[in-house]
Amino acid sequence: MAKRYYWLKLKADWFSDKRIKKLRSIAGGDTHTIIYLKMMLLSLKDERKLYFEGVEDNFASEIALALDEDAENVKLTNFATILNSLFYGSENRNEYIVRLCSYPLLILDDFGMERGTEYGLEQVYNVIDSRYISKKPLIATTNLTPEQLRNPEDVPHARIYGRLLEMCVPVRFTGGDFRRITAQQKMERLKKLME
Protein backbone atom coordinates (compact mmCIF):
# COMPACT_ATOMS: atom_id res chain seq x y z
CA MET A 1 0.00 0.00 0.00
CA ALA A 2 1.38 3.40 -1.00
CA LYS A 3 1.93 6.07 1.60
CA ARG A 4 -0.65 8.79 1.63
CA TYR A 5 0.55 12.34 2.19
CA TYR A 6 -1.49 15.27 3.43
CA TRP A 7 -0.46 18.86 2.99
CA LEU A 8 -1.15 21.77 5.26
CA LYS A 9 -1.01 25.15 3.59
CA LEU A 10 -0.24 28.16 5.78
CA LYS A 11 0.08 31.76 4.72
CA ALA A 12 3.71 32.79 4.30
CA ASP A 13 3.28 35.32 7.12
CA TRP A 14 1.45 32.92 9.47
CA PHE A 15 4.03 33.28 12.25
CA SER A 16 4.15 37.06 11.66
CA ASP A 17 0.39 37.41 12.13
CA LYS A 18 -0.30 39.62 15.17
CA ARG A 19 -2.64 37.00 16.69
CA ILE A 20 0.02 34.28 16.46
CA LYS A 21 2.65 36.67 17.80
CA LYS A 22 0.32 37.50 20.71
CA LEU A 23 -0.34 33.81 21.33
CA ARG A 24 3.39 33.04 21.32
CA SER A 25 4.16 35.94 23.67
CA ILE A 26 2.02 34.65 26.55
CA ALA A 27 3.23 32.03 29.01
CA GLY A 28 2.95 28.65 27.28
CA GLY A 29 2.13 30.35 23.99
CA ASP A 30 4.62 28.35 21.96
CA THR A 31 3.04 25.16 23.30
CA HIS A 32 -0.41 26.43 22.29
CA THR A 33 0.89 27.34 18.83
CA ILE A 34 2.28 23.83 18.35
CA ILE A 35 -0.98 22.27 19.59
CA TYR A 36 -2.92 24.41 17.12
CA LEU A 37 -0.68 23.26 14.26
CA LYS A 38 -0.94 19.62 15.40
CA MET A 39 -4.75 19.89 15.46
CA MET A 40 -4.78 21.24 11.93
CA LEU A 41 -2.53 18.38 10.80
CA LEU A 42 -4.68 15.80 12.61
CA SER A 43 -7.82 17.12 10.92
CA LEU A 44 -6.41 16.84 7.39
CA LYS A 45 -7.31 13.16 7.00
CA ASP A 46 -11.01 13.80 7.65
CA GLU A 47 -11.86 16.94 5.70
CA ARG A 48 -10.71 19.26 8.52
CA LYS A 49 -12.88 17.52 11.12
CA LEU A 50 -11.92 16.02 14.46
CA TYR A 51 -14.05 13.22 15.92
CA PHE A 52 -14.88 12.08 19.44
CA GLU A 53 -14.55 8.30 19.61
CA GLY A 54 -15.34 7.85 23.30
CA VAL A 55 -11.84 6.66 24.26
CA GLU A 56 -11.62 9.34 26.97
CA ASP A 57 -14.36 10.81 29.17
CA ASN A 58 -14.60 14.01 27.13
CA PHE A 59 -13.59 15.41 23.78
CA ALA A 60 -10.90 17.72 25.16
CA SER A 61 -9.11 14.85 26.90
CA GLU A 62 -9.39 12.70 23.80
CA ILE A 63 -7.92 15.40 21.54
CA ALA A 64 -5.11 15.94 24.04
CA LEU A 65 -4.43 12.19 23.98
CA ALA A 66 -4.43 12.08 20.17
CA LEU A 67 -2.02 15.03 20.06
CA ASP A 68 0.12 13.61 22.87
CA GLU A 69 -0.35 16.84 24.81
CA ASP A 70 -1.34 17.75 28.36
CA ALA A 71 -5.15 17.83 28.70
CA GLU A 72 -4.86 21.18 30.51
CA ASN A 73 -3.86 22.76 27.19
CA VAL A 74 -7.20 21.89 25.59
CA LYS A 75 -10.09 23.71 27.26
CA LEU A 76 -13.53 22.17 27.79
CA THR A 77 -16.07 24.41 29.50
CA ASN A 78 -19.65 25.62 29.35
CA PHE A 79 -21.25 29.04 29.61
CA ALA A 80 -22.56 28.45 33.13
CA THR A 81 -18.93 28.09 34.28
CA ILE A 82 -17.82 31.03 32.12
CA LEU A 83 -20.58 33.31 33.44
CA ASN A 84 -19.83 32.34 37.05
CA SER A 85 -16.12 33.03 36.52
CA LEU A 86 -16.88 36.39 34.91
CA PHE A 87 -19.36 37.44 37.60
CA TYR A 88 -17.68 36.05 40.73
CA GLY A 89 -14.08 35.55 39.67
CA SER A 90 -11.20 37.77 40.70
CA GLU A 91 -9.88 38.01 37.15
CA ASN A 92 -10.71 41.01 34.96
CA ARG A 93 -13.45 40.19 32.41
CA ASN A 94 -11.30 41.13 29.40
CA GLU A 95 -8.32 39.14 30.71
CA TYR A 96 -10.56 36.11 31.21
CA ILE A 97 -11.92 36.29 27.66
CA VAL A 98 -8.39 36.77 26.25
CA ARG A 99 -7.34 33.67 28.20
CA LEU A 100 -10.27 31.68 26.76
CA CYS A 101 -9.13 32.72 23.30
CA SER A 102 -5.56 31.67 24.02
CA TYR A 103 -6.49 27.99 24.08
CA PRO A 104 -5.68 26.26 20.80
CA LEU A 105 -9.05 24.53 21.00
CA LEU A 106 -12.08 25.68 22.96
CA ILE A 107 -14.95 23.23 23.43
CA LEU A 108 -18.22 24.69 24.72
CA ASP A 109 -20.48 22.02 26.15
CA ASP A 110 -24.27 22.46 26.28
CA PHE A 111 -24.22 25.70 24.27
CA GLY A 112 -27.60 27.44 24.42
CA MET A 113 -28.46 26.21 27.92
CA GLU A 114 -27.21 29.38 29.63
CA ARG A 115 -29.74 31.79 31.09
CA GLY A 116 -30.94 34.39 28.62
CA THR A 117 -30.41 37.45 30.80
CA GLU A 118 -29.11 40.59 29.12
CA TYR A 119 -25.80 40.24 31.01
CA GLY A 120 -25.53 36.54 30.14
CA LEU A 121 -26.20 37.10 26.44
CA GLU A 122 -23.66 39.94 26.34
CA GLN A 123 -20.99 37.66 27.82
CA VAL A 124 -21.88 34.77 25.49
CA TYR A 125 -21.57 37.18 22.57
CA ASN A 126 -18.20 38.48 23.88
CA VAL A 127 -16.75 34.98 24.13
CA ILE A 128 -18.11 33.81 20.75
CA ASP A 129 -17.11 37.05 19.02
CA SER A 130 -13.60 36.99 20.53
CA ARG A 131 -13.15 33.41 19.39
CA TYR A 132 -14.56 34.36 15.97
CA ILE A 133 -12.06 37.21 15.62
CA SER A 134 -9.15 35.00 16.75
CA LYS A 135 -10.05 32.44 14.04
CA LYS A 136 -9.13 29.56 16.34
CA PRO A 137 -11.08 26.31 16.36
CA LEU A 138 -14.24 26.09 18.39
CA ILE A 139 -16.46 23.10 19.02
CA ALA A 140 -19.87 23.65 20.55
CA THR A 141 -22.20 20.89 21.66
CA THR A 142 -25.85 21.82 21.86
CA ASN A 143 -29.36 20.44 21.97
CA LEU A 144 -30.49 23.30 19.73
CA THR A 145 -31.55 22.17 16.27
CA PRO A 146 -29.96 23.62 13.12
CA GLU A 147 -33.36 25.21 12.46
CA GLN A 148 -33.28 26.99 15.84
CA LEU A 149 -29.75 28.21 15.15
CA ARG A 150 -30.71 29.52 11.70
CA ASN A 151 -33.91 31.21 12.96
CA PRO A 152 -33.08 32.82 16.32
CA GLU A 153 -35.76 34.44 18.43
CA ASP A 154 -34.18 37.91 18.55
CA VAL A 155 -31.26 40.09 17.45
CA PRO A 156 -28.87 39.22 20.34
CA HIS A 157 -29.26 35.50 19.61
CA ALA A 158 -28.94 36.15 15.85
CA ARG A 159 -25.57 37.84 16.41
CA ILE A 160 -24.32 34.88 18.45
CA TYR A 161 -25.76 32.09 16.30
CA GLY A 162 -24.64 33.74 13.04
CA ARG A 163 -21.02 33.73 14.17
CA LEU A 164 -21.32 30.20 15.52
CA LEU A 165 -22.73 28.89 12.23
CA GLU A 166 -19.95 30.59 10.27
CA MET A 167 -17.26 29.12 12.55
CA CYS A 168 -18.64 25.61 13.00
CA VAL A 169 -20.02 22.91 10.75
CA PRO A 170 -23.15 21.34 12.27
CA VAL A 171 -22.80 17.58 12.79
CA ARG A 172 -25.80 15.68 14.12
CA PHE A 173 -25.24 12.86 16.58
CA THR A 174 -28.09 10.48 17.21
CA GLY A 175 -28.45 7.60 19.59
CA GLY A 176 -29.06 7.03 23.23
CA ASP A 177 -28.29 9.56 25.92
CA PHE A 178 -24.87 8.46 27.18
CA ARG A 179 -25.60 9.90 30.64
CA ARG A 180 -28.65 7.65 30.98
CA ILE A 181 -26.68 4.68 29.68
CA THR A 182 -23.87 5.38 32.16
CA ALA A 183 -26.40 5.78 35.00
CA GLN A 184 -28.02 2.47 34.03
CA GLN A 185 -24.62 0.72 34.01
CA LYS A 186 -23.83 2.12 37.45
CA MET A 187 -27.21 0.96 38.73
CA GLU A 188 -26.54 -2.55 37.39
CA ARG A 189 -23.13 -2.64 39.12
CA LEU A 190 -24.73 -1.44 42.37
CA LYS A 191 -27.37 -4.18 42.14
CA LYS A 192 -24.64 -6.82 41.70
CA LEU A 193 -22.78 -5.44 44.72
CA MET A 194 -25.93 -5.57 46.81
CA GLU A 195 -26.68 -9.21 45.97
Side-chain angles (χ1 to χ4, degrees):
M1 179 183 240
K3 282 188 175 180
R4 187 162 190 182
Y5 295 92
Y6 299 92
W7 298 92
L8 175 63
K9 183 178 179 181
L10 298 174
K11 291 180 181 179
D13 65 347
W14 194 80
F15 282 102
S16 301
D17 183 289
K18 289 178 185 172
R19 293 171 298 227
I20 299 302
K21 284 181 164 183
K22 178 68 176 172
L23 175 62
R24 294 187 69 211
S25 72
I26 64 173
D30 284 331
T31 299
H32 292 133
T33 304
I34 296 299
I35 290 171
Y36 184 48
L37 287 168
K38 287 169 79 172
M39 284 174 23
M40 288 191 290
L41 288 169
L42 183 64
S43 72
L44 287 175
K45 292 184 249 177
D46 291 310
E47 300 175 16
R48 295 178 26 157
K49 295 182 179 106
L50 299 170
Y51 294 96
F52 178 59
E53 298 173 24
V55 174
E56 291 285 340
D57 291 336
N58 60 61
F59 190 73
S61 296
E62 191 164 308
I63 289 295
L65 178 67
L67 298 175
D68 199 23
E69 294 289 344
D70 184 352
E72 289 299 312
N73 289 323
V74 179
K75 180 68 173 172
L76 171 67
T77 190
N78 60 45
F79 271 107
T81 302
I82 291 170
L83 292 173
N84 282 336
S85 296
L86 288 170
F87 194 74
Y88 298 111
S90 60
E91 191 172 14
N92 173 292
R93 183 184 75 160
N94 292 334
E95 290 170 358
Y96 182 81
I97 291 173
V98 166
R99 189 164 51 81
L100 278 178
C101 286
S102 74
Y103 289 101
L105 174 62
L106 179 62
I107 303 171
L108 298 173
D109 194 25
D110 283 336
F111 176 79
M113 299 310 290
E114 60 281 346
R115 293 191 338 211
T117 65
E118 190 173 317
Y119 173 81
L121 285 175
E122 179 185 339
Q123 301 318 311
V124 170
Y125 173 79
N126 286 337
V127 171
I128 296 296
D129 188 55
S130 296
R131 198 69 190 183
Y132 176 81
I133 290 168
S134 75
K135 297 190 185 318
K136 289 186 189 159
L138 171 72
I139 296 171
T141 67
T142 185
N143 288 328
L144 297 172
T145 66
E147 186 67 24
Q148 289 172 308
L149 291 171
R150 283 193 282 285
N151 299 299
E153 60 196 57
D154 53 32
V155 173
H157 284 94
R159 294 172 68 213
I160 296 166
Y161 296 173
R163 282 163 177 75
L164 187 69
L165 287 171
E166 185 177 334
M167 292 168 29
C168 302
V169 176
V171 177
R172 182 180 175 147
F173 290 92
T174 59
D177 182 336
F178 76 90
R179 289 180 180 96
R180 286 185 184 161
I181 294 168
T182 301
Q184 184 63 36
Q185 290 169 345
K186 287 180 180 179
M187 186 60 78
E188 295 297 326
R189 277 187 261 147
L190 179 62
K191 285 179 183 178
K192 285 182 182 177
L193 287 172
M194 300 301 283
E195 291 178 351

